Amino acid sequence: MKTPPTIQPVVVDPMALPVEKVMPNGISLYTLKGCNKGIIRFELLFKGGYAIQDKPLQATFTNRMLREGAGELSSNEISRRLDYYGAWIECYSSQKCNHIVLYCLSKHFVPLAQLLETIVKHPVFPEENLEVVRRNGKAHFEVNSKKVDILAQRYFENSLWGENHPLGHVVEATDYDNITRADLLKYHASVYNSRNLALFISGDVDETIDSAVESLFGVGEWGECNNYADVFVDSPVSISGRREIKVEGTVQSAVKIGFMAMDVADPDFHKFRFLTVLFGGYFGSRLMSNIREENGYTYHISAEVDAYGKRNAFMISSETANEYVELCIKEIYKEMEKLCNSSITESEVEHVRNYILGEMCRECEGLTAKSEVFVNAWLSGESFASVNEYLEVVKNITASELNRVAKQYFNPSEMIEVVVGNF
């Protein structure tokens, strides 16, 4: 009989950290250099996001409309230039930042960076294009508003932050109608400036590319130069307890359960992340084993830690048949109680450890992927070194530590529950 190969532990080395360069006007440029087949990922992050907007959707529409005309260029001319160079630009807003990401070949970086400068500094926000974007956005919103999982996310965040918090507002269709060109001009003037910007670049970066970035973005102050540091980290006004939203005609209901967890500076933060994976963060997790495999209440259930600036929310998400809603919730709390009151075995910890290390290998493959990891750390207010600190926690954490963290942070009476559907 042949002997099976020995199972070897997953080996993950610490990642090289981005190199920071402070340009003449004070903007920080973070660089990850290396051979990446001639590809560049260049991201501009303007602090603020939709946490500091005056009106719902103001940040999202401002960032989305940057490509719809800038300087003397129309939206069609911008698109044609991107197509000519085989590049693309992503524009989106998050809780903390407005993101503009350029993907291109390194040999075409200089003309594309010049295009990006025009888009960022001199957008036109043409009224006719705004109407098209507004109409399409509203139609997409109305389609999504019939999906129970998306509705559950909206109302969970509303309960998490409170209605009067910028991150807690539940967007309505009328919010699309109320956005005007003047709103976009006001937001752009307030946010898009040299004091409010950080830059990340990764890939095949050479001196020519580095010099182009500095000359286009790093020399002299530009914009009105407001600086949104931590203004978006307002305290949440979480509302624990059950919240039910009825949606007639749905076959399934969405369930979300969670709470506002610790900040990134908490010494238990990385341990809690590990615990979350063990509880519901992969296919063999406790929630999946019970609620999907043993009881068949759902096709998928997950637990995750979502970052909202420096704050983090723990959230369990699932969709289940309407008749199984209460049974599903009962089993979630049953598994939570077992996690707090029963010992976690070292074999289970080792299993989860290998899973996380494997995922880290996959997620950090290539410099552009690594850049996203460090961008996310920056957005969360973590140091770049914390990426490797998490790696060390994963390698060394014990079952007893996880038991302590579970008992300390999982309190059913403080949980937010949101159920959306025809239950």
Side-chain angles (χ1 to χ4, degrees):
M1 183 176 179
K2 293 184 178 180
T3 303
T6 304
I7 297 176
Q8 300 294 332
V10 179
V11 177
V12 181
D13 296 324
M15 286 197 289
L17 305 183
V19 175
E20 180 181 11
K21 171 187 176 182
V22 179
M23 296 188 289
N25 61 1
I27 293 176
S28 290
L29 171 64
Y30 302 101
T31 303
L32 277 173
K33 291 185 179 181
C35 181
N36 205 45
K37 299 181 180 179
I39 296 172
I40 293 290
R41 181 186 188 274
F42 181 45
E43 181 164 3
L44 291 76
L45 297 108
F46 289 96
K47 292 178 286 186
Y50 52 76
I52 55 94
Q53 60 192 7
D54 296 326
K55 296 171 66 174
L57 303 176
Q58 189 180 20
T60 299
F61 268 80
T62 302
N63 216 40
R64 167 64 180 82
M65 286 289 296
L66 293 176
R67 288 182 51 179
E68 296 300 319
E72 300 298 322
L73 301 174
S74 68
S75 60
N76 287 336
E77 289 170 325
I78 292 172
S79 296
R80 280 198 293 268
R81 290 197 185 188
L82 291 171
D83 289 344
Y84 176 79
Y85 289 113
W88 75 92
I89 293 175
E90 291 180 342
C91 297
Y92 65 95
S93 294
S94 63
Q95 299 90 355
K96 177 176 179 176
C97 279
N98 302 290
H99 306 246
I100 303 100
V101 190
L102 168 67
Y103 297 89
C104 67
L105 296 177
S106 55
K107 63 182 178 181
H108 299 320
F109 178 80
V110 174
L112 288 165
Q114 293 169 343
L115 174 64
L116 195 60
E117 180 200 23
T118 302
I119 289 172
V120 168
K121 295 182 180 179
H122 309 291
V124 178
F125 303 124
E127 189 68 59
E128 61 273 19
N129 294 51
L130 174 59
E131 178 57 33
V132 173
V133 173
R134 184 194 293 117
R135 186 170 60 248
N136 291 343
K138 184 177 179 180
H140 185 67
F141 170 83
E142 289 174 340
V143 170
N144 282 339
S145 295
K146 298 176 183 178
K147 299 176 181 179
V148 293
D149 60 326
I150 292 178
L151 286 174
Q153 180 67 29
R154 292 175 188 169
Y155 284 103
F156 181 84
E157 291 183 342
N158 179 261
S159 293
L160 189 69
W161 291 95
E163 176 59 35
N164 295 324
H165 195 283
L167 300 181
H169 175 72
V170 178
V171 175
E172 300 176 352
T174 54
D175 291 330
Y176 288 83
D177 301 325
N178 294 333
I179 283 292
T180 67
R181 182 173 181 270
D183 295 327
L184 309 191
L185 289 168
K186 180 181 178 182
Y187 187 87
H188 182 270
S190 176
V191 170
Y192 293 77
N193 62 75
S194 57
R195 290 187 184 176
N196 210 37
L197 175 63
L199 303 172
F200 281 79
I201 191 165
S202 63
D204 194 6
V205 182
D206 57 21
E207 291 183 4
T208 300
I209 290 174
D210 189 72
S211 177
V213 172
E214 181 170 317
S215 64
L216 293 169
F217 298 98
V219 178
E221 291 189 348
W222 43 271
E224 293 189 4
C225 295
N226 295 321
N227 184 2
Y228 295 104
D230 287 338
V231 65
F232 42 81
V233 192
D234 293 333
S235 297
V237 186
S238 298
I239 305 170
S240 58
R242 174 75 71 92
R243 187 171 187 178
E244 298 179 347
I245 294 90
K246 289 285 187 179
V247 180
E248 299 296 331
T250 61
V251 177
Q252 293 192 117
S253 293
V255 175
K256 288 192 182 290
I257 297 173
F259 66 101
M260 185 63 75
M262 73 286 290
D263 292 356
V264 295
D266 192 293
D268 286 332
F269 175 62
H270 291 318
K271 297 173 185 177
F272 186 77
R273 290 174 65 187
F274 189 106
L275 180 69
T276 300
V277 176
L278 183 149
F279 187 47
Y282 73 112
F283 192 82
S285 69
R286 292 194 176 196
L287 289 179
M288 283 288 281
S289 297
N290 177 331
I291 295 170
R292 174 191 158 117
E293 299 302 316
E294 294 178 18
N295 288 296
Y297 293 150
T298 184
Y299 180 77
H300 182 71
I301 186 168
S302 65
E304 60 187 338
V305 178
D306 281 351
Y308 294 87
K310 292 183 180 179
R311 298 184 182 276
N312 298 277
F314 170 80
M315 182 171 60
I316 300 165
S317 305
S318 187
E319 290 182 64
T320 185
N322 296 322
E323 62 269 26
Y324 293 149
V325 167
E326 297 303 330
L327 293 171
C328 181
I329 293 174
K330 179 182 177 181
E331 291 301 317
I332 288 173
Y333 284 116
K334 176 182 173 181
E335 287 300 323
M336 193 177 295
E337 182 181 3
K338 286 170 61 178
L339 197 61
C340 295
N341 298 324
S342 302
S343 296
I344 300 171
T345 65
E346 290 294 348
S347 62
E348 183 179 15
V349 174
E350 188 64 23
H351 184 75
V352 176
R353 188 189 338 271
N354 286 331
Y355 169 79
I356 294 176
L357 292 174
E359 283 296 291
M360 293 178 78
C361 288
R362 183 183 62 82
E363 292 173 357
C364 299
E365 184 177 0
L367 283 174
T368 56
K370 289 179 181 177
S371 181
E372 292 182 34
V373 170
F374 288 113
V375 167
N376 289 333
W378 183 87
L379 289 170
S380 299
E382 299 178 75
S383 67
F384 293 142
S386 70
V387 173
N388 290 329
E389 289 169 4
Y390 177 54
L391 174 61
E392 288 304 308
V393 169
V394 171
K395 289 180 177 179
N396 298 300
I397 196 166
T398 64
S400 60
E401 288 178 295
L402 292 170
N403 272 126
R404 178 190 61 78
V405 172
K407 291 176 182 177
Q408 183 171 344
Y409 294 102
F410 284 151
N411 185 346
S413 65
E414 296 179 357
M415 294 289 172
I416 297 168
E417 296 179 18
V418 175
V419 183
V420 178
N422 191 27
F423 48 93

mmCIF file with all atom_site columns, all heavy atoms in Angstrom, residues 37 39 92 154 173 245 281 290 304 330 334 369 377 396 407 420:
data_model
loop_
_atom_site.group_PDB
_atom_site.id
_atom_site.type_symbol
_atom_site.label_atom_id
_atom_site.label_alt_id
_atom_site.label_comp_id
_atom_site.label_asym_id
_atom_site.label_entity_id
_atom_site.label_seq_id
_atom_site.pdbx_PDB_ins_code
_atom_site.Cartn_x
_atom_site.Cartn_y
_atom_site.Cartn_z
_atom_site.occupancy
_atom_site.B_iso_or_equiv
_atom_site.pdbx_formal_charge
_atom_site.auth_seq_id
_atom_site.auth_comp_id
_atom_site.auth_asym_id
_atom_site.auth_atom_id
_atom_site.pdbx_PDB_model_num
ATOM 1   N N   . LYS A 1 37  ? 5.073   42.458 -15.241 1.00 0.00 ? 37  LYS A N   1
ATOM 2   C CA  . LYS A 1 37  ? 4.725   42.311 -16.654 1.00 0.00 ? 37  LYS A CA  1
ATOM 3   C C   . LYS A 1 37  ? 4.296   43.626 -17.285 1.00 0.00 ? 37  LYS A C   1
ATOM 4   O O   . LYS A 1 37  ? 3.384   43.674 -18.123 1.00 0.00 ? 37  LYS A O   1
ATOM 5   C CB  . LYS A 1 37  ? 3.634   41.253 -16.824 1.00 0.00 ? 37  LYS A CB  1
ATOM 6   C CG  . LYS A 1 37  ? 4.054   39.874 -16.335 1.00 0.00 ? 37  LYS A CG  1
ATOM 7   C CD  . LYS A 1 37  ? 2.962   38.840 -16.534 1.00 0.00 ? 37  LYS A CD  1
ATOM 8   C CE  . LYS A 1 37  ? 3.408   37.480 -16.041 1.00 0.00 ? 37  LYS A CE  1
ATOM 9   N NZ  . LYS A 1 37  ? 2.354   36.445 -16.188 1.00 0.00 ? 37  LYS A NZ  1
ATOM 10  N N   . ILE A 1 39  ? 2.760   46.258 -16.035 1.00 0.00 ? 39  ILE A N   1
ATOM 11  C CA  . ILE A 1 39  ? 1.435   46.747 -15.658 1.00 0.00 ? 39  ILE A CA  1
ATOM 12  C C   . ILE A 1 39  ? 1.553   47.710 -14.489 1.00 0.00 ? 39  ILE A C   1
ATOM 13  O O   . ILE A 1 39  ? 2.385   47.531 -13.595 1.00 0.00 ? 39  ILE A O   1
ATOM 14  C CB  . ILE A 1 39  ? 0.514   45.574 -15.291 1.00 0.00 ? 39  ILE A CB  1
ATOM 15  C CG1 . ILE A 1 39  ? 0.291   44.672 -16.507 1.00 0.00 ? 39  ILE A CG1 1
ATOM 16  C CG2 . ILE A 1 39  ? -0.830  46.069 -14.768 1.00 0.00 ? 39  ILE A CG2 1
ATOM 17  C CD1 . ILE A 1 39  ? -0.446  43.399 -16.188 1.00 0.00 ? 39  ILE A CD1 1
ATOM 18  N N   . TYR A 1 92  ? -15.190 55.181 -7.823  1.00 0.00 ? 92  TYR A N   1
ATOM 19  C CA  . TYR A 1 92  ? -16.231 54.804 -6.871  1.00 0.00 ? 92  TYR A CA  1
ATOM 20  C C   . TYR A 1 92  ? -15.965 55.477 -5.540  1.00 0.00 ? 92  TYR A C   1
ATOM 21  O O   . TYR A 1 92  ? -14.845 55.946 -5.264  1.00 0.00 ? 92  TYR A O   1
ATOM 22  C CB  . TYR A 1 92  ? -16.308 53.284 -6.714  1.00 0.00 ? 92  TYR A CB  1
ATOM 23  C CG  . TYR A 1 92  ? -15.081 52.645 -6.110  1.00 0.00 ? 92  TYR A CG  1
ATOM 24  C CD1 . TYR A 1 92  ? -15.002 52.380 -4.744  1.00 0.00 ? 92  TYR A CD1 1
ATOM 25  C CD2 . TYR A 1 92  ? -13.992 52.294 -6.910  1.00 0.00 ? 92  TYR A CD2 1
ATOM 26  C CE1 . TYR A 1 92  ? -13.876 51.788 -4.191  1.00 0.00 ? 92  TYR A CE1 1
ATOM 27  C CE2 . TYR A 1 92  ? -12.861 51.709 -6.367  1.00 0.00 ? 92  TYR A CE2 1
ATOM 28  C CZ  . TYR A 1 92  ? -12.805 51.455 -5.016  1.00 0.00 ? 92  TYR A CZ  1
ATOM 29  O OH  . TYR A 1 92  ? -11.677 50.880 -4.456  1.00 0.00 ? 92  TYR A OH  1
ATOM 30  N N   . ARG A 1 154 ? -28.982 47.640 3.746   1.00 0.00 ? 154 ARG A N   1
ATOM 31  C CA  . ARG A 1 154 ? -29.302 49.059 3.951   1.00 0.00 ? 154 ARG A CA  1
ATOM 32  C C   . ARG A 1 154 ? -29.844 49.294 5.350   1.00 0.00 ? 154 ARG A C   1
ATOM 33  O O   . ARG A 1 154 ? -29.412 50.233 6.050   1.00 0.00 ? 154 ARG A O   1
ATOM 34  C CB  . ARG A 1 154 ? -30.334 49.521 2.914   1.00 0.00 ? 154 ARG A CB  1
ATOM 35  C CG  . ARG A 1 154 ? -29.834 49.559 1.480   1.00 0.00 ? 154 ARG A CG  1
ATOM 36  C CD  . ARG A 1 154 ? -30.966 49.915 0.544   1.00 0.00 ? 154 ARG A CD  1
ATOM 37  N NE  . ARG A 1 154 ? -30.568 49.778 -0.857  1.00 0.00 ? 154 ARG A NE  1
ATOM 38  C CZ  . ARG A 1 154 ? -31.415 49.828 -1.887  1.00 0.00 ? 154 ARG A CZ  1
ATOM 39  N NH1 . ARG A 1 154 ? -32.704 50.022 -1.650  1.00 0.00 ? 154 ARG A NH1 1
ATOM 40  N NH2 . ARG A 1 154 ? -30.979 49.690 -3.115  1.00 0.00 ? 154 ARG A NH2 1
ATOM 41  N N   . ALA A 1 173 ? -35.493 56.499 -3.673  1.00 0.00 ? 173 ALA A N   1
ATOM 42  C CA  . ALA A 1 173 ? -35.496 56.846 -5.097  1.00 0.00 ? 173 ALA A CA  1
ATOM 43  C C   . ALA A 1 173 ? -35.485 58.359 -5.302  1.00 0.00 ? 173 ALA A C   1
ATOM 44  O O   . ALA A 1 173 ? -34.869 58.874 -6.249  1.00 0.00 ? 173 ALA A O   1
ATOM 45  C CB  . ALA A 1 173 ? -36.707 56.218 -5.776  1.00 0.00 ? 173 ALA A CB  1
ATOM 46  N N   . ILE A 1 245 ? -38.684 44.052 8.132   1.00 0.00 ? 245 ILE A N   1
ATOM 47  C CA  . ILE A 1 245 ? -39.172 44.782 6.962   1.00 0.00 ? 245 ILE A CA  1
ATOM 48  C C   . ILE A 1 245 ? -39.876 43.784 6.065   1.00 0.00 ? 245 ILE A C   1
ATOM 49  O O   . ILE A 1 245 ? -39.261 42.841 5.551   1.00 0.00 ? 245 ILE A O   1
ATOM 50  C CB  . ILE A 1 245 ? -38.020 45.480 6.203   1.00 0.00 ? 245 ILE A CB  1
ATOM 51  C CG1 . ILE A 1 245 ? -37.406 46.587 7.066   1.00 0.00 ? 245 ILE A CG1 1
ATOM 52  C CG2 . ILE A 1 245 ? -38.532 46.077 4.899   1.00 0.00 ? 245 ILE A CG2 1
ATOM 53  C CD1 . ILE A 1 245 ? -36.275 46.153 7.932   1.00 0.00 ? 245 ILE A CD1 1
ATOM 54  N N   . GLY A 1 281 ? -16.596 32.241 8.400   1.00 0.00 ? 281 GLY A N   1
ATOM 55  C CA  . GLY A 1 281 ? -15.879 32.884 7.311   1.00 0.00 ? 281 GLY A CA  1
ATOM 56  C C   . GLY A 1 281 ? -15.395 31.986 6.197   1.00 0.00 ? 281 GLY A C   1
ATOM 57  O O   . GLY A 1 281 ? -14.709 32.454 5.292   1.00 0.00 ? 281 GLY A O   1
ATOM 58  N N   . ASN A 1 290 ? -23.533 23.811 10.559  1.00 0.00 ? 290 ASN A N   1
ATOM 59  C CA  . ASN A 1 290 ? -24.820 23.632 11.226  1.00 0.00 ? 290 ASN A CA  1
ATOM 60  C C   . ASN A 1 290 ? -25.975 24.001 10.304  1.00 0.00 ? 290 ASN A C   1
ATOM 61  O O   . ASN A 1 290 ? -26.836 23.163 9.983   1.00 0.00 ? 290 ASN A O   1
ATOM 62  C CB  . ASN A 1 290 ? -24.857 24.490 12.500  1.00 0.00 ? 290 ASN A CB  1
ATOM 63  C CG  . ASN A 1 290 ? -26.198 24.427 13.223  1.00 0.00 ? 290 ASN A CG  1
ATOM 64  O OD1 . ASN A 1 290 ? -27.245 24.228 12.634  1.00 0.00 ? 290 ASN A OD1 1
ATOM 65  N ND2 . ASN A 1 290 ? -26.165 24.617 14.530  1.00 0.00 ? 290 ASN A ND2 1
ATOM 66  N N   . GLU A 1 304 ? -18.544 38.054 8.812   1.00 0.00 ? 304 GLU A N   1
ATOM 67  C CA  . GLU A 1 304 ? -17.415 38.863 8.359   1.00 0.00 ? 304 GLU A CA  1
ATOM 68  C C   . GLU A 1 304 ? -17.279 40.101 9.220   1.00 0.00 ? 304 GLU A C   1
ATOM 69  O O   . GLU A 1 304 ? -18.203 40.482 9.944   1.00 0.00 ? 304 GLU A O   1
ATOM 70  C CB  . GLU A 1 304 ? -17.598 39.268 6.893   1.00 0.00 ? 304 GLU A CB  1
ATOM 71  C CG  . GLU A 1 304 ? -18.854 40.075 6.643   1.00 0.00 ? 304 GLU A CG  1
ATOM 72  C CD  . GLU A 1 304 ? -19.092 40.322 5.166   1.00 0.00 ? 304 GLU A CD  1
ATOM 73  O OE1 . GLU A 1 304 ? -18.123 40.253 4.394   1.00 0.00 ? 304 GLU A OE1 1
ATOM 74  O OE2 . GLU A 1 304 ? -20.249 40.594 4.794   1.00 0.00 ? 304 GLU A OE2 1
ATOM 75  N N   . LYS A 1 330 ? -32.397 30.986 15.456  1.00 0.00 ? 330 LYS A N   1
ATOM 76  C CA  . LYS A 1 330 ? -32.182 30.200 16.676  1.00 0.00 ? 330 LYS A CA  1
ATOM 77  C C   . LYS A 1 330 ? -30.861 29.443 16.614  1.00 0.00 ? 330 LYS A C   1
ATOM 78  O O   . LYS A 1 330 ? -30.101 29.406 17.596  1.00 0.00 ? 330 LYS A O   1
ATOM 79  C CB  . LYS A 1 330 ? -33.345 29.223 16.861  1.00 0.00 ? 330 LYS A CB  1
ATOM 80  C CG  . LYS A 1 330 ? -33.207 28.340 18.089  1.00 0.00 ? 330 LYS A CG  1
ATOM 81  C CD  . LYS A 1 330 ? -34.375 27.361 18.194  1.00 0.00 ? 330 LYS A CD  1
ATOM 82  C CE  . LYS A 1 330 ? -34.201 26.432 19.392  1.00 0.00 ? 330 LYS A CE  1
ATOM 83  N NZ  . LYS A 1 330 ? -35.334 25.445 19.473  1.00 0.00 ? 330 LYS A NZ  1
ATOM 84  N N   . LYS A 1 334 ? -27.420 29.640 18.815  1.00 0.00 ? 334 LYS A N   1
ATOM 85  C CA  . LYS A 1 334 ? -26.962 28.398 19.425  1.00 0.00 ? 334 LYS A CA  1
ATOM 86  C C   . LYS A 1 334 ? -25.470 28.207 19.177  1.00 0.00 ? 334 LYS A C   1
ATOM 87  O O   . LYS A 1 334 ? -24.708 27.855 20.103  1.00 0.00 ? 334 LYS A O   1
ATOM 88  C CB  . LYS A 1 334 ? -27.755 27.222 18.850  1.00 0.00 ? 334 LYS A CB  1
ATOM 89  C CG  . LYS A 1 334 ? -27.301 25.861 19.344  1.00 0.00 ? 334 LYS A CG  1
ATOM 90  C CD  . LYS A 1 334 ? -28.117 24.757 18.667  1.00 0.00 ? 334 LYS A CD  1
ATOM 91  C CE  . LYS A 1 334 ? -27.577 23.375 19.022  1.00 0.00 ? 334 LYS A CE  1
ATOM 92  N NZ  . LYS A 1 334 ? -28.357 22.300 18.328  1.00 0.00 ? 334 LYS A NZ  1
ATOM 93  N N   . ALA A 1 369 ? -2.454  43.225 -6.527  1.00 0.00 ? 369 ALA A N   1
ATOM 94  C CA  . ALA A 1 369 ? -3.294  42.688 -5.459  1.00 0.00 ? 369 ALA A CA  1
ATOM 95  C C   . ALA A 1 369 ? -2.755  43.099 -4.095  1.00 0.00 ? 369 ALA A C   1
ATOM 96  O O   . ALA A 1 369 ? -3.513  43.454 -3.187  1.00 0.00 ? 369 ALA A O   1
ATOM 97  C CB  . ALA A 1 369 ? -3.375  41.167 -5.563  1.00 0.00 ? 369 ALA A CB  1
ATOM 98  N N   . ALA A 1 377 ? -5.703  48.605 4.392   1.00 0.00 ? 377 ALA A N   1
ATOM 99  C CA  . ALA A 1 377 ? -5.132  48.890 5.711   1.00 0.00 ? 377 ALA A CA  1
ATOM 100 C C   . ALA A 1 377 ? -5.107  50.391 5.968   1.00 0.00 ? 377 ALA A C   1
ATOM 101 O O   . ALA A 1 377 ? -5.456  50.859 7.062   1.00 0.00 ? 377 ALA A O   1
ATOM 102 C CB  . ALA A 1 377 ? -3.723  48.305 5.812   1.00 0.00 ? 377 ALA A CB  1
ATOM 103 N N   . ASN A 1 396 ? 0.202   32.178 15.271  1.00 0.00 ? 396 ASN A N   1
ATOM 104 C CA  . ASN A 1 396 ? 0.494   31.853 16.668  1.00 0.00 ? 396 ASN A CA  1
ATOM 105 C C   . ASN A 1 396 ? -0.709  31.809 17.601  1.00 0.00 ? 396 ASN A C   1
ATOM 106 O O   . ASN A 1 396 ? -0.558  31.434 18.765  1.00 0.00 ? 396 ASN A O   1
ATOM 107 C CB  . ASN A 1 396 ? 1.507   32.880 17.218  1.00 0.00 ? 396 ASN A CB  1
ATOM 108 C CG  . ASN A 1 396 ? 2.826   32.842 16.480  1.00 0.00 ? 396 ASN A CG  1
ATOM 109 O OD1 . ASN A 1 396 ? 3.494   31.818 16.455  1.00 0.00 ? 396 ASN A OD1 1
ATOM 110 N ND2 . ASN A 1 396 ? 3.190   33.948 15.858  1.00 0.00 ? 396 ASN A ND2 1
ATOM 111 N N   . LYS A 1 407 ? -16.029 35.053 24.407  1.00 0.00 ? 407 LYS A N   1
ATOM 112 C CA  . LYS A 1 407 ? -16.794 35.391 25.609  1.00 0.00 ? 407 LYS A CA  1
ATOM 113 C C   . LYS A 1 407 ? -16.876 36.898 25.828  1.00 0.00 ? 407 LYS A C   1
ATOM 114 O O   . LYS A 1 407 ? -17.884 37.419 26.312  1.00 0.00 ? 407 LYS A O   1
ATOM 115 C CB  . LYS A 1 407 ? -16.158 34.726 26.829  1.00 0.00 ? 407 LYS A CB  1
ATOM 116 C CG  . LYS A 1 407 ? -16.293 33.217 26.850  1.00 0.00 ? 407 LYS A CG  1
ATOM 117 C CD  . LYS A 1 407 ? -15.550 32.620 28.055  1.00 0.00 ? 407 LYS A CD  1
ATOM 118 C CE  . LYS A 1 407 ? -15.641 31.099 28.055  1.00 0.00 ? 407 LYS A CE  1
ATOM 119 N NZ  . LYS A 1 407 ? -14.873 30.508 29.182  1.00 0.00 ? 407 LYS A NZ  1
ATOM 120 N N   . VAL A 1 420 ? -35.619 40.770 6.412   1.00 0.00 ? 420 VAL A N   1
ATOM 121 C CA  . VAL A 1 420 ? -36.345 41.374 5.294   1.00 0.00 ? 420 VAL A CA  1
ATOM 122 C C   . VAL A 1 420 ? -36.911 40.268 4.425   1.00 0.00 ? 420 VAL A C   1
ATOM 123 O O   . VAL A 1 420 ? -36.184 39.371 3.985   1.00 0.00 ? 420 VAL A O   1
ATOM 124 C CB  . VAL A 1 420 ? -35.409 42.274 4.449   1.00 0.00 ? 420 VAL A CB  1
ATOM 125 C CG1 . VAL A 1 420 ? -36.177 42.860 3.266   1.00 0.00 ? 420 VAL A CG1 1
ATOM 126 C CG2 . VAL A 1 420 ? -34.811 43.377 5.308   1.00 0.00 ? 420 VAL A CG2 1
#
